[in-house]
Each structure stands twice: as structure tokens, then as C-alpha cells.
Amino acid sequence: MVTVEIGVILFIRKVREIMKPRMIIKIAVDILMTLALLFLMGYHFWGNTAHEWAGAGMFVLFIAHHILNLNWYKSLFKGKYTVFRILQIVIDVLVFVTMLALMYSGIIMSREVFAFLPINGGMALARRLHILGSYWGFILMSLHLGLHWNMLIGYARKIVKIKEISPIRSIIFFLLRLLIGAYGLHGFISRDLLTYMLLKTEFVFMDFGESKLLFYLDYLAMMGLCIFIAHYGSKLIRKLTGKKKEKNTF
């Protein structure tokens, strides 16, 4: 136990040496948002009360995320709009729209956290918006994470002091990501996410008896698929447009 505590302390010190406090907070907020997102997708495991409080927490984290990234708004009308930058902004705007839809619909449908608000009606529209916001939000937030994967990998390499990765290891890591992506695609198809994203039904099938482990493995793999597509897609865009680095890091 003592060894673990010492290891954690040393790790924290190393992170502080590499990253500024503001960046540490930004990454911590993003990690918490990712965990909250995964938790919220498993509504049937935790019940309505936990789901609503986690959703309210996600709302607070979302606001904190935007406050910590105010410089992104200031830079919107500065610099050149490359293909990659346009893609980033489109994804960011879509994430923002889905979050607004989730917040609105979550408040309308609330039976616990926001039950004190004098809201009547609008339940049918709120249900549709919540389904659309949930599944589109999951995919878009995962793509958003993938667009910034290079930055996260860069920090991770600095922490563990890895300057370069050998070609063999690069191939192994690529194949591993490809394998995760393939499993994620299987999960996307088997869990019929496209049906919910296109709102072909207003009711989400929930298997209350399924394994929590398998459920979250599926969703982690689907997130991995989106990260894979966004990460390597952005690399391809940079290669085709001759841009090696982008400054927009929202």
C-alpha cells in the first residue's frame, strides 16, 4: 500500500514538472467528462437518480471546460482556416449543440434534480432530443477526443520519458488500435446505435441483465473506433494539405 502511495506521489510530481497547473485542470476536467459520458450511457445499470445527478455533473463540467478554453473563442477570427481547423470547429459546434439538447431535454424530463422547476409539457420532444443528443453526443465527443489524441500522446510520452517509438512498436500499436476499432464497429452494429442516431425509434432497448463489464467494453471500444477514425483521419488531412501542426486545441 505504501509503495502504491509513493508511486502516485512521484507520478503527480512528474506531471507537475511537465504540465502547467491550468493544463492539468483542463485534462482532469476532460477525463471526468469522459468518465461521466460512459457512466451516463449505462442508464439501466444505475437508475434514474444516479443518471440525473451524473447528468447535472456533466453540465457543470461542460461549463468548466468552456471557461478553461476561453482562448479558443478569442482565436476564432484569427489565423488561417485550414481543412483540419474547419473540421475541428465543425465537430466542436456539433458537440456544443448536442450538449444543449441534452441539457434542455434532461431538465424537462427530470424527476429528481430539477423536479422543483415549474415545467409542464414538452415531454415527447424532450425524449426525442435526449435520444438524439445521447448517441450523437457520444460519437461526436469521442471524435473530438480523437482530434486531440496527438496532444495527449505527447504529454504521456513526456511523463514516461519516451522520445521516439521504434517502427516495430508503432506497427504493434497501430494493429492494436485497429483491433479495438474493429471490435468497436462490431459493438456499434450489434447495439444498433445508428437506429437511435437516426431516431428510427423513440424507445431505447435496455438489457437489464447484461454484464456491466461487457457493456462498458463495448462502449470503450466504440469510443476507441471514433478516436482511431479522428486521429488517423486528421493525420491524413495534414499530410494531404501539407500541414504538420495545428494551433487550435479546444
Side-chain angles (χ1 to χ4, degrees):
M1 188 68 180
V2 175
T3 305
V4 173
E5 290 177 356
I6 293 172
V8 171
I9 292 170
L10 292 174
F11 176 78
I12 293 172
R13 286 180 180 176
K14 186 65 179 177
V15 170
R16 285 178 176 175
E17 290 174 5
I18 293 170
M19 292 186 284
K20 296 178 181 179
R22 184 181 179 85
M23 181 55 69
I24 294 174
I25 295 172
K26 286 171 70 174
I27 291 177
V29 168
D30 289 348
I31 290 172
L32 288 173
M33 285 183 71
T34 303
L35 293 174
L37 175 64
L38 288 167
F39 179 85
L40 288 165
M41 298 309 293
Y43 169 85
H44 53 300
F45 293 127
W46 317 110
N48 187 69
T49 301
H51 185 80
E52 285 194 23
W53 280 109
M58 185 76 161
F59 176 43
V60 173
L61 290 169
F62 182 71
I63 293 173
H65 176 82
H66 281 267
I67 291 173
L68 290 167
N69 289 280
L70 285 176
N71 288 333
W72 181 82
Y73 291 97
K74 295 176 183 178
S75 66
L76 272 177
F77 301 102
K78 297 178 182 178
K80 185 179 179 181
Y81 270 78
T82 61
V83 175
F84 179 70
R85 188 181 180 189
I86 292 170
L87 176 63
Q88 278 189 313
I89 290 174
V90 169
I91 295 294
D92 291 341
V93 169
L94 290 175
V95 168
F96 186 79
V97 170
T98 57
M99 286 301 297
L100 289 180
L102 284 170
M103 290 171 194
Y104 168 78
S105 59
I107 291 171
I108 295 294
M109 297 169 64
S110 177
R111 298 197 302 268
E112 303 281 347
V113 180
F114 299 103
F116 63 92
L117 294 175
I119 299 173
N120 295 309
M123 191 65 72
L125 174 61
R127 186 183 295 109
R128 296 187 188 101
L129 286 175
H130 211 70
I131 292 174
L132 286 171
S134 296
Y135 291 96
W136 275 105
F138 175 77
I139 297 299
L140 290 167
M141 289 179 207
S142 300
L143 290 172
H144 172 83
L145 184 60
L147 290 177
H148 302 289
W149 201 245
N150 267 337
M151 180 186 70
L152 297 175
I153 291 174
Y155 281 123
R157 285 182 181 177
K158 287 181 180 178
I159 291 171
V160 297
K161 294 182 178 179
I162 297 177
K163 293 183 178 180
E164 293 183 6
I165 297 178
S166 66
I168 295 177
R169 286 187 179 182
S170 294
I171 293 172
I172 292 173
F173 285 142
F174 176 79
L175 291 175
L176 180 61
R177 291 166 185 165
L178 191 62
L179 184 62
I180 293 171
Y183 180 66
L185 180 60
H186 171 266
F188 183 87
I189 295 170
S190 64
R191 292 189 177 275
D192 210 12
L193 259 68
L194 195 59
T195 293
Y196 306 130
M197 292 171 71
L198 298 178
L199 203 63
K200 290 183 177 180
T201 177
E202 294 183 20
F203 300 95
V204 178
F205 171 75
M206 296 180 184
D207 183 358
F208 291 89
E210 72 175 315
S211 165
K212 293 184 181 71
L213 177 60
L214 289 178
F215 176 87
Y216 283 111
L217 280 177
D218 278 2
Y219 271 85
L220 280 169
M222 284 188 277
M223 184 176 282
L225 170 64
C226 294
I227 291 171
F228 180 89
I229 292 171
H231 177 60
Y232 287 101
S234 64
K235 278 191 171 185
L236 179 62
I237 289 172
R238 287 187 181 120
K239 186 176 181 180
L240 293 175
T241 58
K243 300 294 180 182
K244 295 182 180 180
K245 187 178 181 181
E246 297 290 342
K247 294 183 179 180
N248 195 314
T249 57
F250 181 55

